[in-house]
Amino acid sequence: MATILGAITSAHVPAIGRAIAQNLQQDPYWKPFFDGYPPARAWLAKAKPDVAVIFYNDHGLNFFLDKLPTFAVGAAAEYRNADEGWGIPTVAPFLGHPALSWHIIESLVADEFDITTCQEMLVDHAATLPMALLWPGGGPWPVRIIPIAMNHVQHPLPSPRRAFKLGQAVGRALESWDEDARVVVLGTGGLSHQLDGERAGFINREFDLMCMDAIVDEPERLTQYSSLDIVREAGAQGTELMAWLAARGALTGRVSKVHANYHVPISNTATGLMVLENQPAPLARAA
Ligand code: DHB
Ligand code: FE
């Protein structure tokens, strides 16, 4: 069975890619953001995952508004990044884990999630930048990845409850895998931000901090919100919180907070980082 080590949730603002390329980690604007990451890297060095399941949203690189699946699971042997036009250098390709991807896909469909299966898939900044923050250097990457893209872009969005349940179903799939794997689950995006429209620049610190608190022990509290509630409370792109909920849902055991950082703003976005450790529940395992 796969061991679910924990989850890391992180912002994925495109400007981070440019800041990495220009070595701006110590720049006063960037320092409070980048300073959040060494403790996450230290936790990874101890946890030693070999697979990262990444809940994220594609921003038009692989899917566009004409064809936008609600949930899409990668089943490729390799995932490439491509130029998105933000001035972010592309990163080295990621190795996939087709066998585990197909197991997750079969398990999700059996669990009544009618997902899209992607045997080819480009991954955008929402997958690459958290990877680059957690494993600096731009590749080669020490983990294989399984990208799970969620629609946080175009109405109608899945509900926060559905996002959480997707994560729970992925957690069940990982636990029913009959080979060994050490898995870290990533949830990328958020926290509050709105990039355009009348409320461009909208940030809700109080709501963000409430979410970062609740997601540790009471994630179901956050599933009481509708996706439109999240738009109201966290801005139109704040709906990326749902990737955090999916990642949290995949933690099947007792969850503890190892590390958190919150910094406002980076590129009109409230950036959050959390490391949540998963302690498998012995009773659930024995059952
Ligand atoms: C921006 C883009 C994103 O995908 C995001 O989550 C936050 C900010 C941006 O264009 O600045
Ligand atoms: Fe985004």
Side-chain angles (χ1 to χ4, degrees):
M1 123 176 179
T3 304
I4 305 170
L5 303 163
I8 300 183
T9 56
S10 165
H12 64 219
V13 179
I16 298 164
R18 233 176 315 129
I20 292 173
Q22 296 171 5
N23 255 317
L24 297 178
Q25 290 87 341
Q26 297 302 315
D27 179 275
Y29 177 84
W30 286 102
K31 189 172 164 39
F33 170 78
F34 280 101
D35 278 356
Y37 286 82
R41 295 200 283 265
W43 180 81
L44 284 169
K46 272 200 268 169
K48 295 190 173 40
D50 43 46
V51 179
V53 172
I54 309 176
F55 291 99
Y56 74 111
N57 59 312
D58 183 272
H59 299 68
L61 182 68
N62 190 75
F63 303 115
F64 201 60
L65 301 181
D66 59 333
K67 296 184 196 72
L68 191 46
T70 302
F71 301 131
V73 182
E78 184 182 86
Y79 302 92
R80 292 187 169 273
N81 180 216
D83 184 0
E84 296 176 62
W86 301 96
I88 319 171
T90 52
V91 298
F94 300 88
L95 286 180
H97 193 323
L100 182 51
S101 281
W102 282 113
H103 171 74
I104 291 171
I105 288 162
E106 291 200 17
S107 182
L108 286 175
V109 172
D111 239 337
E112 302 180 351
F113 280 88
D114 304 319
I115 45 150
T116 298
T117 299
C118 300
Q119 298 185 57
E120 291 185 4
M121 196 175 191
L122 292 172
V123 287
D124 77 356
H125 65 273
T128 64
L129 294 178
M131 290 293 291
L133 287 162
L134 296 174
W135 289 281
W141 308 97
V143 294
R144 293 170 181 268
I145 70 164
I146 299 180
I148 302 183
M150 306 165 69
N151 171 26
H152 309 147
V153 173
Q154 177 167 252
H155 181 81
L157 309 188
S159 66
R161 181 182 304 278
R162 187 70 174 153
F164 185 66
K165 286 185 170 176
L166 173 73
Q168 289 178 310
V170 169
R172 284 193 291 276
L174 290 169
E175 292 208 321
S176 65
W177 171 241
D178 59 9
E179 293 176 31
D180 287 342
R182 295 178 64 75
V183 179
V184 62
V185 183
L186 309 186
T188 91
L191 285 169
S192 59
H193 62 300
Q194 170 139 350
L195 299 176
D196 51 17
E198 273 177 31
R199 292 201 306 163
F202 176 77
I203 278 173
N204 187 344
R205 175 188 290 265
E206 199 180 325
F207 182 76
D208 290 338
L209 295 178
M210 182 280 290
C211 289
M212 289 178 76
D213 195 35
I215 204 163
V216 182
D217 292 324
E218 314 173 275
E220 309 225 2
R221 211 171 115 202
L222 304 177
T223 66
Q224 310 299 314
Y225 292 94
S226 71
S227 54
L228 283 178
D229 290 335
I230 303 287
V231 170
R232 190 177 327 106
E233 296 295 331
Q237 283 75 40
T239 51
E240 291 173 347
L241 172 68
M242 284 193 251
W244 289 44
L245 274 174
R248 175 62 182 84
L251 305 186
T252 49
R254 194 169 305 142
V255 173
S256 53
K257 180 171 85 176
V258 174
H259 173 63
N261 189 52
Y262 180 78
H263 175 64
V264 180
I266 292 290
S267 196
N268 276 341
T269 301
T271 61
L273 166 70
M274 296 191 80
V275 179
L276 301 174
E277 191 164 86
N278 184 51
Q279 216 81 57
L283 287 178
R285 262 194 182 188

PDB file of all heavy atoms in Angstrom, residues 204-223:
ATOM      1  N   ASN A 204      -8.636  38.768   1.440  1.00  0.00           N
ATOM      2  CA  ASN A 204      -9.378  38.636   2.690  1.00  0.00           C
ATOM      3  C   ASN A 204      -8.540  37.834   3.688  1.00  0.00           C
ATOM      4  O   ASN A 204      -8.650  36.609   3.787  1.00  0.00           O
ATOM      5  CB  ASN A 204     -10.720  37.940   2.411  1.00  0.00           C
ATOM      6  CG  ASN A 204     -11.630  37.921   3.629  1.00  0.00           C
ATOM      7  OD1 ASN A 204     -11.171  38.157   4.761  1.00  0.00           O
ATOM      8  ND2 ASN A 204     -12.897  37.631   3.411  1.00  0.00           N
ATOM      9  N   ARG A 205      -7.705  38.578   4.393  1.00  0.00           N
ATOM     10  CA  ARG A 205      -6.767  37.946   5.336  1.00  0.00           C
ATOM     11  C   ARG A 205      -7.501  37.126   6.401  1.00  0.00           C
ATOM     12  O   ARG A 205      -7.094  36.011   6.740  1.00  0.00           O
ATOM     13  CB  ARG A 205      -5.927  39.053   5.998  1.00  0.00           C
ATOM     14  CG  ARG A 205      -4.990  38.583   7.088  1.00  0.00           C
ATOM     15  CD  ARG A 205      -4.351  39.769   7.798  1.00  0.00           C
ATOM     16  NE  ARG A 205      -3.403  40.443   6.943  1.00  0.00           N
ATOM     17  CZ  ARG A 205      -2.083  40.181   6.951  1.00  0.00           C
ATOM     18  NH1 ARG A 205      -1.587  39.299   7.789  1.00  0.00           N
ATOM     19  NH2 ARG A 205      -1.278  40.823   6.145  1.00  0.00           N
ATOM     20  N   GLU A 206      -8.585  37.696   6.909  1.00  0.00           N
ATOM     21  CA  GLU A 206      -9.300  37.019   7.995  1.00  0.00           C
ATOM     22  C   GLU A 206      -9.830  35.658   7.529  1.00  0.00           C
ATOM     23  O   GLU A 206      -9.707  34.640   8.222  1.00  0.00           O
ATOM     24  CB  GLU A 206     -10.459  37.911   8.429  1.00  0.00           C
ATOM     25  CG  GLU A 206     -11.011  37.600   9.782  1.00  0.00           C
ATOM     26  CD  GLU A 206     -12.167  38.544  10.110  1.00  0.00           C
ATOM     27  OE1 GLU A 206     -12.114  39.723   9.695  1.00  0.00           O
ATOM     28  OE2 GLU A 206     -13.112  38.080  10.750  1.00  0.00           O
ATOM     29  N   PHE A 207     -10.402  35.642   6.334  1.00  0.00           N
ATOM     30  CA  PHE A 207     -10.934  34.388   5.789  1.00  0.00           C
ATOM     31  C   PHE A 207      -9.796  33.391   5.528  1.00  0.00           C
ATOM     32  O   PHE A 207      -9.899  32.209   5.871  1.00  0.00           O
ATOM     33  CB  PHE A 207     -11.707  34.668   4.494  1.00  0.00           C
ATOM     34  CG  PHE A 207     -12.333  33.445   3.894  1.00  0.00           C
ATOM     35  CD1 PHE A 207     -13.486  32.890   4.428  1.00  0.00           C
ATOM     36  CD2 PHE A 207     -11.756  32.837   2.778  1.00  0.00           C
ATOM     37  CE1 PHE A 207     -14.054  31.747   3.870  1.00  0.00           C
ATOM     38  CE2 PHE A 207     -12.317  31.706   2.219  1.00  0.00           C
ATOM     39  CZ  PHE A 207     -13.467  31.155   2.759  1.00  0.00           C
ATOM     40  N   ASP A 208      -8.704  33.881   4.948  1.00  0.00           N
ATOM     41  CA  ASP A 208      -7.564  32.993   4.661  1.00  0.00           C
ATOM     42  C   ASP A 208      -7.055  32.334   5.942  1.00  0.00           C
ATOM     43  O   ASP A 208      -6.811  31.123   5.977  1.00  0.00           O
ATOM     44  CB  ASP A 208      -6.403  33.783   4.039  1.00  0.00           C
ATOM     45  CG  ASP A 208      -6.701  34.265   2.633  1.00  0.00           C
ATOM     46  OD1 ASP A 208      -7.583  33.681   1.968  1.00  0.00           O
ATOM     47  OD2 ASP A 208      -6.036  35.233   2.194  1.00  0.00           O
ATOM     48  N   LEU A 209      -6.873  33.160   6.982  1.00  0.00           N
ATOM     49  CA  LEU A 209      -6.302  32.611   8.218  1.00  0.00           C
ATOM     50  C   LEU A 209      -7.282  31.636   8.867  1.00  0.00           C
ATOM     51  O   LEU A 209      -6.872  30.620   9.436  1.00  0.00           O
ATOM     52  CB  LEU A 209      -5.910  33.749   9.178  1.00  0.00           C
ATOM     53  CG  LEU A 209      -4.774  34.641   8.638  1.00  0.00           C
ATOM     54  CD1 LEU A 209      -4.458  35.782   9.603  1.00  0.00           C
ATOM     55  CD2 LEU A 209      -3.496  33.828   8.354  1.00  0.00           C
ATOM     56  N   MET A 210      -8.582  31.925   8.743  1.00  0.00           N
ATOM     57  CA  MET A 210      -9.578  30.975   9.242  1.00  0.00           C
ATOM     58  C   MET A 210      -9.437  29.646   8.487  1.00  0.00           C
ATOM     59  O   MET A 210      -9.458  28.562   9.090  1.00  0.00           O
ATOM     60  CB  MET A 210     -10.980  31.574   9.056  1.00  0.00           C
ATOM     61  CG  MET A 210     -12.121  30.722   9.568  1.00  0.00           C
ATOM     62  SD  MET A 210     -12.609  29.385   8.469  1.00  0.00           S
ATOM     63  CE  MET A 210     -13.367  30.323   7.146  1.00  0.00           C
ATOM     64  N   CYS A 211      -9.264  29.709   7.159  1.00  0.00           N
ATOM     65  CA  CYS A 211      -9.134  28.476   6.356  1.00  0.00           C
ATOM     66  C   CYS A 211      -7.874  27.702   6.751  1.00  0.00           C
ATOM     67  O   CYS A 211      -7.901  26.476   6.873  1.00  0.00           O
ATOM     68  CB  CYS A 211      -9.066  28.801   4.863  1.00  0.00           C
ATOM     69  SG  CYS A 211     -10.629  29.382   4.202  1.00  0.00           S
ATOM     70  N   MET A 212      -6.770  28.432   6.963  1.00  0.00           N
ATOM     71  CA  MET A 212      -5.516  27.753   7.314  1.00  0.00           C
ATOM     72  C   MET A 212      -5.617  27.098   8.677  1.00  0.00           C
ATOM     73  O   MET A 212      -4.971  26.081   8.934  1.00  0.00           O
ATOM     74  CB  MET A 212      -4.347  28.752   7.277  1.00  0.00           C
ATOM     75  CG  MET A 212      -3.989  29.167   5.865  1.00  0.00           C
ATOM     76  SD  MET A 212      -2.660  30.398   5.769  1.00  0.00           S
ATOM     77  CE  MET A 212      -1.205  29.414   6.109  1.00  0.00           C
ATOM     78  N   ASP A 213      -6.451  27.653   9.534  1.00  0.00           N
ATOM     79  CA  ASP A 213      -6.675  27.065  10.844  1.00  0.00           C
ATOM     80  C   ASP A 213      -7.600  25.844  10.717  1.00  0.00           C
ATOM     81  O   ASP A 213      -7.287  24.743  11.171  1.00  0.00           O
ATOM     82  CB  ASP A 213      -7.300  28.155  11.729  1.00  0.00           C
ATOM     83  CG  ASP A 213      -7.238  27.789  13.174  1.00  0.00           C
ATOM     84  OD1 ASP A 213      -6.238  27.148  13.549  1.00  0.00           O
ATOM     85  OD2 ASP A 213      -8.173  28.129  13.913  1.00  0.00           O
ATOM     86  N   ALA A 214      -8.713  26.037  10.038  1.00  0.00           N
ATOM     87  CA  ALA A 214      -9.731  24.979   9.972  1.00  0.00           C
ATOM     88  C   ALA A 214      -9.246  23.762   9.187  1.00  0.00           C
ATOM     89  O   ALA A 214      -9.647  22.628   9.478  1.00  0.00           O
ATOM     90  CB  ALA A 214     -11.010  25.531   9.329  1.00  0.00           C
ATOM     91  N   ILE A 215      -8.401  23.979   8.205  1.00  0.00           N
ATOM     92  CA  ILE A 215      -8.042  22.862   7.328  1.00  0.00           C
ATOM     93  C   ILE A 215      -7.250  21.779   8.078  1.00  0.00           C
ATOM     94  O   ILE A 215      -7.239  20.620   7.676  1.00  0.00           O
ATOM     95  CB  ILE A 215      -7.288  23.369   6.077  1.00  0.00           C
ATOM     96  CG1 ILE A 215      -7.438  22.364   4.936  1.00  0.00           C
ATOM     97  CG2 ILE A 215      -5.837  23.677   6.389  1.00  0.00           C
ATOM     98  CD1 ILE A 215      -7.109  22.904   3.583  1.00  0.00           C
ATOM     99  N   VAL A 216      -6.667  22.141   9.194  1.00  0.00           N
ATOM    100  CA  VAL A 216      -5.889  21.149   9.948  1.00  0.00           C
ATOM    101  C   VAL A 216      -6.832  20.126  10.587  1.00  0.00           C
ATOM    102  O   VAL A 216      -6.738  18.929  10.303  1.00  0.00           O
ATOM    103  CB  VAL A 216      -5.015  21.833  11.030  1.00  0.00           C
ATOM    104  CG1 VAL A 216      -4.182  20.784  11.750  1.00  0.00           C
ATOM    105  CG2 VAL A 216      -4.136  22.914  10.425  1.00  0.00           C
ATOM    106  N   ASP A 217      -7.745  20.611  11.429  1.00  0.00           N
ATOM    107  CA  ASP A 217      -8.573  19.700  12.230  1.00  0.00           C
ATOM    108  C   ASP A 217     -10.035  19.656  11.835  1.00  0.00           C
ATOM    109  O   ASP A 217     -10.745  18.735  12.203  1.00  0.00           O
ATOM    110  CB  ASP A 217      -8.524  20.119  13.716  1.00  0.00           C
ATOM    111  CG  ASP A 217      -7.162  19.885  14.312  1.00  0.00           C
ATOM    112  OD1 ASP A 217      -6.533  18.884  13.933  1.00  0.00           O
ATOM    113  OD2 ASP A 217      -6.734  20.701  15.137  1.00  0.00           O
ATOM    114  N   GLU A 218     -10.500  20.687  11.140  1.00  0.00           N
ATOM    115  CA  GLU A 218     -11.932  20.753  10.832  1.00  0.00           C
ATOM    116  C   GLU A 218     -12.165  21.079   9.360  1.00  0.00           C
ATOM    117  O   GLU A 218     -12.889  22.029   9.047  1.00  0.00           O
ATOM    118  CB  GLU A 218     -12.618  21.859  11.637  1.00  0.00           C
ATOM    119  CG  GLU A 218     -12.305  21.946  13.088  1.00  0.00           C
ATOM    120  CD  GLU A 218     -12.929  23.202  13.670  1.00  0.00           C
ATOM    121  OE1 GLU A 218     -12.315  24.282  13.589  1.00  0.00           O
ATOM    122  OE2 GLU A 218     -14.068  23.106  14.180  1.00  0.00           O
ATOM    123  N   PRO A 219     -11.554  20.318   8.450  1.00  0.00           N
ATOM    124  CA  PRO A 219     -11.703  20.674   7.034  1.00  0.00           C
ATOM    125  C   PRO A 219     -13.159  20.654   6.581  1.00  0.00           C
ATOM    126  O   PRO A 219     -13.536  21.402   5.677  1.00  0.00           O
ATOM    127  CB  PRO A 219     -10.870  19.608   6.306  1.00  0.00           C
ATOM    128  CG  PRO A 219     -10.760  18.470   7.262  1.00  0.00           C
ATOM    129  CD  PRO A 219     -10.756  19.083   8.615  1.00  0.00           C
ATOM    130  N   GLU A 220     -13.973  19.835   7.260  1.00  0.00           N
ATOM    131  CA  GLU A 220     -15.364  19.734   6.808  1.00  0.00           C
ATOM    132  C   GLU A 220     -16.113  21.053   7.028  1.00  0.00           C
ATOM    133  O   GLU A 220     -17.113  21.313   6.371  1.00  0.00           O
ATOM    134  CB  GLU A 220     -16.063  18.555   7.502  1.00  0.00           C
ATOM    135  CG  GLU A 220     -15.214  17.300   7.343  1.00  0.00           C
ATOM    136  CD  GLU A 220     -15.975  16.055   6.951  1.00  0.00           C
ATOM    137  OE1 GLU A 220     -17.190  16.170   6.764  1.00  0.00           O
ATOM    138  OE2 GLU A 220     -15.357  14.989   6.842  1.00  0.00           O
ATOM    139  N   ARG A 221     -15.588  21.864   7.961  1.00  0.00           N
ATOM    140  CA  ARG A 221     -16.191  23.189   8.152  1.00  0.00           C
ATOM    141  C   ARG A 221     -16.124  23.987   6.849  1.00  0.00           C
ATOM    142  O   ARG A 221     -17.033  24.734   6.513  1.00  0.00           O
ATOM    143  CB  ARG A 221     -15.414  23.916   9.252  1.00  0.00           C
ATOM    144  CG  ARG A 221     -16.242  24.877  10.050  1.00  0.00           C
ATOM    145  CD  ARG A 221     -15.455  25.359  11.227  1.00  0.00           C
ATOM    146  NE  ARG A 221     -15.189  26.781  11.109  1.00  0.00           N
ATOM    147  CZ  ARG A 221     -14.207  27.413  11.735  1.00  0.00           C
ATOM    148  NH1 ARG A 221     -13.375  26.754  12.517  1.00  0.00           N
ATOM    149  NH2 ARG A 221     -14.060  28.701  11.583  1.00  0.00           N
ATOM    150  N   LEU A 222     -15.036  23.837   6.126  1.00  0.00           N
ATOM    151  CA  LEU A 222     -14.850  24.602   4.887  1.00  0.00           C
ATOM    152  C   LEU A 222     -15.717  24.057   3.761  1.00  0.00           C
ATOM    153  O   LEU A 222     -15.979  24.754   2.777  1.00  0.00           O
ATOM    154  CB  LEU A 222     -13.376  24.609   4.482  1.00  0.00           C
ATOM    155  CG  LEU A 222     -12.425  25.139   5.563  1.00  0.00           C
ATOM    156  CD1 LEU A 222     -10.977  25.053   5.099  1.00  0.00           C
ATOM    157  CD2 LEU A 222     -12.789  26.573   5.948  1.00  0.00           C
ATOM    158  N   THR A 223     -16.167  22.814   3.907  1.00  0.00           N
ATOM    159  CA  THR A 223     -17.010  22.239   2.853  1.00  0.00           C
ATOM    160  C   THR A 223     -18.460  22.742   2.966  1.00  0.00           C
ATOM    161  O   THR A 223     -19.288  22.406   2.137  1.00  0.00           O
ATOM    162  CB  THR A 223     -16.984  20.696   2.879  1.00  0.00           C
ATOM    163  OG1 THR A 223     -17.603  20.239   4.076  1.00  0.00           O
ATOM    164  CG2 THR A 223     -15.577  20.153   2.790  1.00  0.00           C
TER     165      THR A 223
END
